[in-house]
Amino acid sequence: MSYLKFDKSKLVNLEYSLTREVLRSNRAGSYISTTISGCNTRKYHGLLICPVPGLDGDKHLLLSSLDETVIQHGAEFNLGIHKYEGDHYEPKGHKYIRDFDAEFVPKTTWRVGGVVLTKERLLVENEEQALIRYTLEEANSPTTLRFRPFLAFRSIHQLSKANMYADTKYTEVPNGIKMKMYEGYPFLNMQFSKECEFVPAPNWYNNIEYYKEKERGFDYQEDLYVPGYFEIPIRKGESIIFSASTGEVKTASLKAKFTKETNKRVPRNTFLNCLKNSGQQFIVRTDKYTDIIAGFPWYTGITRQTFIALPGLTLAHGERDTFEEVIDSQLAGLRNGLFPKYFGRPEKGYGAIDISLWFFWAIQHLYVEKKCAMSVWSKYGAPMKQILNAYRDGTDYGIHMYENGLVGSEYKDEPLTWMNSMVDGRPVVNRLCMPVEVNALWYNAVCFAVELAQVAGDEKFVKKWEKLSAKIAKSFVDEFWDDSVNCLADSVSATTKDWTVRPNMVIAASMDYSPLDREKQKAVLSAAKKQLLTPRGLRSLTPESPFYEGQVEGSVMQRERMIQQGAVWPWLIQFFAEAYLRIHKRGGLSVVKRILADFESDMTEHCVGSIAEMYDGNPPHNARGAISQAWSVAAVARLFQIINEYED
């Protein structure tokens, strides 16, 4: 029995199958994604989605879908499914689905009369190649399979429309054809592991709909081009491999290649293995860098999220080399003590007050793993000094240290923390000059750097910085704490304090070096547990606030207002768990274990085997945003690690 279980009786029910999505990446920027029914519900769904450096470096959808038809005695049974206007689905191949499994790779089983056919999909690691294995498990009569490819050749953020500029010519290649619909794209090679017949039958399929895009307030209809169809006879017990690739392949090796790639996969046979498998999808390696994709399907590398996700994606699974590869890649972008907001895209700006401080937090986890201050300081001491000096002396975006030792900025053109949503050119959350988590991170960074320097014997640095930590700690409590409120202000300025209950105070309580004493940490956690904690993470705003929004829905601008006014963010849960166990020790394990158990049900509910970007603040806490988010997965993976530390 597979760990990931799906209700077989509901697989033919579109309300069930359309809300469960599958995702696989090739660890090099490409991915494959659809629903367990095979019906694409997003413009981001498809069978081969990959970067096209010659165009813009963005991800592009080449092959949207491949419709299968079973033919016996002249009768045809189409297994594909597409949505058209008016909730019209055609063909209705979902009604033949009898099973779905995802332990190694997504596997669909259809039954059509006496025919049982299975379909398994994967992406080849570090190659722009999708492989699909079809196996005829049962058949009582001669059987032929027909395959009809639906082509897009477009950016994942756009939609295709029938047009006269598309190049619809095809060229024969071994056991298939290749096409390139527009200049600048690579050829899409569609080949099979055995000889096939290609029948030209060019046609545009118009107004295919993606209802998820309609829900999100975007354009949702597109036209896809079908050049014709392939036909192949298949015997009972035989497997056929279909390959979609940007390069021509040797078809004789496809079966062996599929088996080899399947064997590389971490089996999703436990909750932890699901998280490990999912975490591997985000890591991108090239010959020039190693990065983390923030989330699928639409994000690239976001530096803040990379630093926060890194320990849970790598060190939690013993992957120290990957951790350091990512850090080293990020350091190439450090300038004036700041990192670019998006990896490899400095033109998008450096406007963030917290990213450089999250770098220290990430390195702390490596230090714990290595238990070797000398080597950590030797490798990372120079960038640490650059960052600390920049914050103390002042750097871009008005980021500087005040006389009381705290840091902040009066910059108003854009928000500088993770709460950076903007509507009509203004921040949704107007945080004041000195945000609480930024100053907790600042105190933690200074203390950690001094500790490393002391062990490494850097007396000059220690002398320069060691007295500042006490000043920061005192000012932090003076500015952010009030006994009458019994929690931390979310942000402060010289004249104002914002006492809104938000999860940022939990970050302050969770730091290895926290400016809060034990009683203040307990008070923060008590408020968070009462007002912010949910089965999917911490709310971004207390429901007691008049500005609270419990459901993330509506237009793009409406959703942008809501995501930091009540939406639940899983990435924050690691800080609550860490702080809670630090206070309650083994006595708090039951609470944290229950939090972890609450996430397990999500393994089969939204993106199979993964954790979404955010969830509604109100029950039943429906998933929102990106279907699979790196820092969400990493945070839940870290819960396992945190629990183990207190159980040992």
Side-chain angles (χ1 to χ4, degrees), residues 43 108 369 401 593:
K43 62 186 176 184
T108 303
E369 292 289 322
M401 187 179 78
K593 285 182 176 180

Side-chain angles (χ1 to χ4, degrees), residues 19-34:
T19 59
R20 288 160 170 81
E21 303 176 51
V22 290
L23 170 76
R24 297 283 86 191
S25 83
N26 72 340
R27 282 74 158 172
S30 300
Y31 72 90
I32 177 174
S33 184
T34 185

Side-chain angles (χ1 to χ4, degrees), residues 54-110:
L55 285 178
D56 52 14
D58 203 353
K59 297 184 181 72
H60 289 254
L61 171 61
L62 303 185
L63 178 61
S64 178
S65 61
L66 184 69
D67 279 17
E68 307 90 352
T69 300
V70 174
I71 304 172
Q72 278 192 336
H73 303 299
E76 300 179 2
F77 304 90
N78 197 323
L79 307 181
I81 177 171
H82 303 274
K83 184 183 184 301
Y84 294 91
E85 191 173 0
D87 284 336
H88 177 62
Y89 291 87
E90 185 64 35
K92 298 179 176 63
H94 65 288
K95 65 184 179 181
Y96 301 116
I97 297 176
R98 293 297 178 266
D99 197 7
F100 181 81
D101 182 77
E103 182 167 333
F104 289 96
V105 298
K107 180 179 180 180
T108 303
T109 300
W110 293 285

Side-chain angles (χ1 to χ4, degrees), residues 369-420:
E369 292 289 322
K370 281 193 167 183
K371 296 181 175 64
C372 182
M374 187 70 72
S375 64
V376 174
W377 186 249
S378 174
K379 186 169 185 178
Y380 300 115
M384 286 182 175
K385 291 177 182 178
Q386 180 189 150
I387 293 167
L388 294 177
N389 288 332
Y391 275 63
R392 184 196 59 194
D393 301 335
T395 185
D396 301 337
Y397 300 91
I399 298 169
H400 67 287
M401 187 179 78
Y402 295 90
E403 288 186 7
N404 62 3
L406 300 180
V407 295
S409 171
E410 291 85 35
Y411 189 77
K412 298 187 182 303
D413 290 352
E414 62 178 296
L416 299 181
T417 73
W418 78 275
M419 289 189 156
N420 54 7

Side-chain angles (χ1 to χ4, degrees), residues 172-188:
E172 291 186 357
V173 294
N175 295 350
I177 64 170
K178 68 177 181 179
M179 293 186 65
K180 181 172 69 171
M181 292 184 66
Y182 304 103
E183 198 62 38
Y185 279 92
F187 276 100
L188 173 63

Side-chain angles (χ1 to χ4, degrees), residues 198-203 225-229:
F198 177 71
V199 179
N203 191 23
Y225 180 71
V226 175
Y229 57 85

